[in-house]
Amino acid sequence: MHPLFLPRLVNGPFEDPVLFVPFQFQRRAVIFDLGDLSRLPPRDLLKISHAFVTHTHMDHFTGFDRLLRCLLGRKMDLHLYGPAGFLSHVEGKLAGYSWDLVDRLRCGLRLHAHEVHPHRMLHRSYIGGDRFAAEGDPTALPFTGRLVSEPAFDVSAAVLQHSIPCLGLTLTERFHVNILKPGLEALGLPPGRWLTRFKNALYEGADPLSTFDIATDAGTSGGRFVLGDLQQQIARITAGQKIAYITDADDGPSNREAMGALAQAADMLFIEAAFLHRERERAAATHHLTAREAGEIAALAGARQFTLFHFSPRYRGREHELVREAREAYEKAKGKRA
Ligand SMILES: [Zn+2]
Ligand SMILES: [Zn+2]
């Protein structure tokens, strides 16, 4: 099986948090947090359609400039999401530069920023070709947990408490389309871009009785099929992938419940572990999780797999202690729940 999402932490666990998630076989990606992006080459930055910023502490937002610089002059839309105060933080970034020569770039970039509150979102767009002037006043939209809803996937968020509001995030594939190689071979069909179109037809719920024309990448016709028949012969539908991303949150009771619910049954949970539990007072004072808490939350959520990041620099060379503490807490909590 080829998973749709290929998430990877861009930096080491002592460096800025950034989770880059390219989509298999597509020139597209989403990104969680905009810490230092210097390790992402322009070809990866150009794939980003949506950026989700947990909060605007510098280590999570300093990469906004690199992303903006790379996309400048491109004709594209970039959707940005962040917690309370986000619109003014984006506007502050945009106000930090002179845009008088941007007209020469024929900048077709449009930014669509969303500020997420517990029950509503404020949305405002900024037009690159107009020196990033805002397009009208912010508009309010209802928010019930979902930030993005596309045929193939959703992105959801929970507003968690850090020292300031901070978004916990999930990316969920609706279902997964596995392409069966023997099925393709039996029909003499070469793999190619048409498979993305085929998958999109399934995600969009196209009528199984409708016809589906195959064009190969070489430009020849691969034939005409009834969509449902083709699906039976070349595809198998399985559960979709769920990825959760939680960082910079304290372990208060309401946060723990919200984190457990958000990451419920995640295939992969990326979760911060800033401190060892014996320094939990320091963790609480700075509103971060300890490794033990991270392991317990992963167990509470029933996450299949978890990866720790955002370690305090005091543990340099002792990463294994954080990993061991979280692993032990995860196993112990899972044992109790079984
Ligand atoms: Zn942080
Ligand atoms: Zn923070």
Side-chain angles (χ1 to χ4, degrees):
M1 147 165 173
H2 295 289
L4 174 62
F5 309 131
L6 304 168
R8 68 172 198 268
L9 289 166
V10 170
N11 300 315
F14 291 102
E15 298 166 320
D16 287 359
V18 179
L19 184 72
F20 180 65
V21 191
F23 294 9
Q24 178 88 273
F25 304 131
Q26 295 179 46
R27 288 186 48 77
R28 175 155 190 209
V30 299
I31 194 165
F32 294 130
D33 270 335
L34 297 173
D36 181 359
L37 298 183
S38 55
R39 288 209 183 92
L40 276 181
R43 70 167 184 281
D44 280 335
L45 294 171
L46 287 167
K47 292 178 188 165
I48 296 170
S49 62
H50 292 69
F52 304 91
V53 178
T54 58
H55 63 304
T56 49
H57 281 158
M58 259 190 122
D59 51 334
H60 300 256
F61 198 43
T62 190
F64 176 85
D65 290 30
R66 176 168 161 83
L67 180 61
L68 182 63
R69 189 175 188 185
C70 180
L71 304 189
L72 212 57
R74 305 278 168 163
K75 186 169 167 36
M76 62 178 284
D77 295 277
L78 175 67
H79 302 267
L80 297 152
Y81 295 79
F86 190 60
L87 294 186
S88 66
H89 290 138
V90 169
E91 287 170 12
K93 287 271 195 187
L94 295 172
Y97 296 100
S98 304
W99 299 112
D100 58 302
L101 297 177
V102 84
D103 312 1
R104 288 193 180 197
L105 295 170
R106 295 185 200 289
C107 181
L109 176 64
R110 296 164 66 95
L111 305 180
H112 308 283
H114 299 78
E115 179 174 306
V116 183
H117 295 262
H119 301 291
R120 63 179 195 142
M121 271 195 286
L122 296 175
H123 165 256
R124 200 174 200 191
S125 295
Y126 306 89
I127 312 305
D130 193 15
R131 304 179 185 189
F132 290 102
E135 193 180 50
D137 292 327
T139 51
L141 306 164
F143 171 66
T144 54
R146 197 156 291 176
L147 299 179
V148 177
S149 195
E150 292 201 11
F153 69 89
D154 290 328
V155 179
S156 295
V159 179
L160 303 174
Q161 283 313 312
H162 179 32
S163 55
I164 49 176
C166 178
L167 302 181
L169 296 154
T170 60
L171 170 64
T172 310
E173 187 186 20
R174 249 187 253 293
F175 53 82
H176 190 72
V177 183
N178 303 273
I179 299 297
L180 307 171
K181 229 176 155 193
L184 287 181
E185 283 164 6
L187 295 173
L189 295 171
R193 287 191 292 273
W194 68 271
L195 281 171
T196 301
R197 206 162 53 76
F198 167 71
K199 288 178 183 177
N200 285 341
L202 300 187
Y203 285 128
E204 282 157 16
D207 182 354
L209 296 175
S210 60
T211 53
F212 185 83
D213 291 308
I214 296 175
T216 69
D217 289 355
T220 59
S221 168
R224 167 171 288 191
F225 291 82
V226 174
L227 182 65
D229 290 347
L230 184 63
Q231 180 190 334
Q232 280 214 328
Q233 295 184 69
I234 69 163
R236 191 163 50 87
I237 306 296
T238 53
Q241 217 182 336
K242 177 170 176 177
I243 290 160
Y245 180 83
I246 292 173
T247 189
D248 296 56
D250 63 40
D251 192 32
S254 67
N255 254 10
R256 185 173 278 228
E257 198 186 322
M259 291 186 277
L262 181 76
Q264 200 53 232
D267 297 291
M268 296 172 103
L269 166 62
F270 294 86
I271 186 162
E272 76 155 342
F275 297 95
L276 283 170
H277 203 67
R278 62 170 175 265
E279 295 194 82
R280 61 186 170 280
E281 276 163 26
R282 193 180 291 269
T286 52
H287 306 277
H288 282 288
L289 295 177
T290 68
R292 185 198 290 184
E293 290 161 354
E296 287 171 358
I297 291 158
L300 174 68
R304 220 160 278 163
Q305 213 183 308
F306 67 93
T307 303
L308 304 179
F309 67 104
H310 214 3
F311 299 163
S312 160
R314 67 183 51 231
Y315 301 109
R316 238 174 240 284
R318 298 196 288 142
E319 300 86 314
H320 58 279
E321 291 181 40
L322 292 157
V323 172
R324 191 172 54 214
E325 181 176 287
R327 177 63 44 198
E328 282 172 5
Y330 176 75
E331 297 299 343
K332 195 170 155 201
K334 238 176 57 170
K336 268 194 204 150
R337 294 170 62 81

